Amino acid sequence: MEKEKILSIRDLSISFKTSSGRVNAIRGVDLDLYRGETLAIVGESGSGKSVTMKAAMGILSNNGEVNSGSINFTYYRDGEKVEVDILKLTKKEMRKRINGKRIAMIFQDPMTSLNPTMTIGAQIVEGMIWHYKTPKKEAYKRAIELLELVGINDAEKRIKNYPHQLSGGMRQRVVIAIALACNPDLLICDEPTTALDVTIQAKILELIKDIQKKMNISVIYITHDLGVVAKVADYVSVMYAGKIVEKGTVDEVFYDPRHPYTWGLLSAMPDLETKDDKLYTIPGTPPNLASEVKGDPFAPRNIYALNIDNRLEPPMFKITDTHYAATWLLHEKAPKVEMPVELRNRIDRMLKEAHQDAK
């Protein structure tokens, strides 16, 4: 059975006006997501992960400008297939047709996502009443069901609580309930477990995974935590300096990473068996996107950089039908460079831990 594409981003470029000039934050991003599957977008802070997804929700800040590209989203209305280019919709149309209703977002800090002056019940039913004109009594009944779905006990009592009366883990569960209230087709999770302790993190990830199966929704994770990616994703897109530099299935990107930046991210993962007290960090800093980027933007930080990296930006080289990477090391005339053995061993240990946690 052929998979159905739910989100397709093509040649997306976004810039921001700042006091230092125009910053080209997103530079020609291509990205696909299929119905019922999970995509993880990974990279350092400032690589463009959140900006790309905010564009997909039409919530870019006022100083942000889309310079080119398309964001095609597919959903069903009364059994009929509907395809829209989100970039062509007005903010009013986005609020009415898409945001909260078809695409919902979970942010990393539940306290900034919840209104401290409203009960959690009132916040859960708000979207149902706004989008579907659901009667208040019916909406509250659904809200109780959602709280139970996300694992909150005594839902009928808790629905009257205010956010400050709940723990961090419970608040994040409420945020998930709000996101699910209108049965969205796509759930975007922007670092959904960053503000939570490790034990609660695992429970929230398992919860999202379980809900995804029950509701057959597509999920996008925005994260810098590759441990999370190994546990939840079907596909991975690695971003650097506003571009996707490697993409593939989670097994391809983890077991057979080809871009030196991906090697660096994987090397920076904490490892329980590492005897050295120091954590690996990628040397240098990302390029200033307010200036023109010549060649491969990762070249100054890449110990494997070739002369051509300083002159020409590499294209996406095909490794398999699903695996691509933008590095000149994949050119047929490039010297053969293997991933460091130490990194290979660390990746194997990390994936073994992730698979054990999944069981």
Side-chain angles (χ1 to χ4, degrees):
M1 185 177 176
E2 188 176 347
K3 295 192 294 184
E4 182 182 16
K5 201 176 289 185
I6 186 173
L7 185 71
S8 181
I9 298 177
R10 288 291 174 270
D11 193 32
L12 181 66
S13 295
I14 299 171
S15 61
F16 290 88
K17 294 178 183 177
T18 70
S19 56
S20 306
R22 186 176 291 276
V23 175
N24 298 308
I26 304 298
R27 306 179 304 121
V29 164
D30 291 340
L31 185 150
D32 291 316
L33 175 67
Y34 294 88
R35 193 169 298 279
E37 294 187 339
T38 301
L39 168 70
I41 304 175
V42 302
E44 294 168 291
S45 296
S47 59
K49 308 182 300 294
S50 294
V51 171
T52 301
M53 287 301 100
K54 284 181 178 179
M57 289 200 72
I59 55 173
L60 279 177
S61 57
N62 291 332
N63 65 333
E65 181 181 347
V66 177
N67 301 312
S68 68
S70 61
I71 303 177
N72 291 312
F73 177 63
T74 303
Y75 63 94
Y76 288 86
R77 183 175 58 205
D78 299 327
E80 289 191 12
K81 190 174 182 179
V82 179
E83 295 182 21
V84 294
D85 182 350
I86 283 173
L87 296 179
K88 293 181 179 178
L89 298 180
T90 64
K91 287 189 175 182
K92 185 176 180 181
E93 287 174 323
M94 282 297 295
R95 284 195 300 269
K96 185 177 179 181
R97 296 173 57 184
I98 306 297
N99 289 350
K101 188 176 184 180
R102 302 295 179 181
I103 304 177
M105 198 166 190
I106 301 171
F107 295 94
Q108 59 182 287
D109 185 357
M111 276 310 284
T112 59
S113 303
L114 296 172
N115 187 333
T117 67
M118 293 172 65
T119 65
I120 62 170
Q123 294 183 65
I124 295 171
V125 303
E126 193 173 29
M128 290 184 268
I129 294 171
W130 163 257
H131 286 296
Y132 294 110
K133 305 294 186 288
T134 308
K136 198 171 183 180
K137 187 176 180 180
E138 186 181 326
Y140 269 92
K141 182 181 178 183
R142 171 64 176 155
I144 291 171
E145 292 173 354
L146 285 166
L147 288 178
E148 291 172 345
L149 178 67
V150 299
I152 292 183
N153 297 324
D154 297 322
E156 290 189 34
K157 293 181 180 178
R158 289 293 186 184
I159 203 167
K160 299 173 184 176
N161 286 166
Y162 289 85
H164 73 271
Q165 296 175 287
L166 306 176
S167 67
M170 290 178 75
R171 286 195 290 263
Q172 192 63 299
R173 289 171 187 265
V174 170
V175 170
I176 295 170
I178 293 170
L180 297 174
C182 293
N183 297 314
D185 299 276
L186 171 59
L187 185 63
I188 299 173
C189 304
D190 189 355
E191 302 279 10
T193 60
T194 299
L196 307 174
D197 65 58
V198 177
T199 306
I200 302 299
Q201 280 184 15
K203 290 180 179 178
I204 293 297
L205 291 175
E206 192 57 41
L207 171 64
I208 295 172
K209 202 171 182 180
D210 186 48
I211 289 171
Q212 179 183 16
K213 288 180 181 177
K214 289 179 179 176
M215 301 179 68
N216 192 35
I217 58 178
S218 304
V219 178
I220 293 177
Y221 279 93
I222 302 168
T223 183
H224 62 270
D225 189 340
L226 291 170
V228 169
V229 175
K231 294 172 186 175
V232 302
D234 297 307
Y235 293 89
V236 183
S237 288
V238 181
M239 287 195 76
Y240 182 75
K243 291 183 77 75
I244 291 175
V245 297
E246 184 162 6
K247 61 183 180 180
T249 67
V250 67
D251 284 343
E252 287 171 333
V253 174
F254 275 82
Y255 284 109
D256 188 28
R258 295 299 186 93
H259 199 289
Y261 178 62
T262 310
W263 295 352
L265 290 179
L266 289 165
S267 298
M269 280 292 298
D271 182 2
L272 294 175
E273 294 188 32
T274 301
K275 295 178 182 178
D276 195 342
D277 290 337
K278 294 181 180 179
L279 285 174
Y280 172 83
T281 56
I282 302 173
T285 57
N288 179 4
L289 297 180
S291 305
E292 183 184 358
V293 179
K294 291 184 179 180
D296 185 344
F298 188 61
R301 308 174 72 185
N302 182 8
I303 62 172
Y304 306 104
L306 306 172
N307 289 333
I308 194 173
D309 282 308
N310 298 313
R311 305 193 315 272
L312 296 174
E313 191 167 31
M316 272 287 191
F317 287 94
K318 181 179 178 179
I319 302 158
T320 71
D321 287 342
T322 52
H323 192 188
Y324 294 79
T327 170
W328 286 114
L329 292 175
L330 291 175
H331 192 278
E332 58 183 10
K333 294 183 179 179
K336 300 303 176 188
V337 177
E338 298 291 337
M339 181 181 14
V341 175
E342 182 184 344
L343 173 57
R344 174 72 275 156
N345 293 335
R346 294 185 73 251
I347 292 171
D348 289 341
R349 290 196 296 268
M350 182 181 69
L351 291 171
K352 185 178 178 182
E353 290 173 13
H355 289 316
Q356 286 174 344
D357 290 343
K359 289 181 178 178

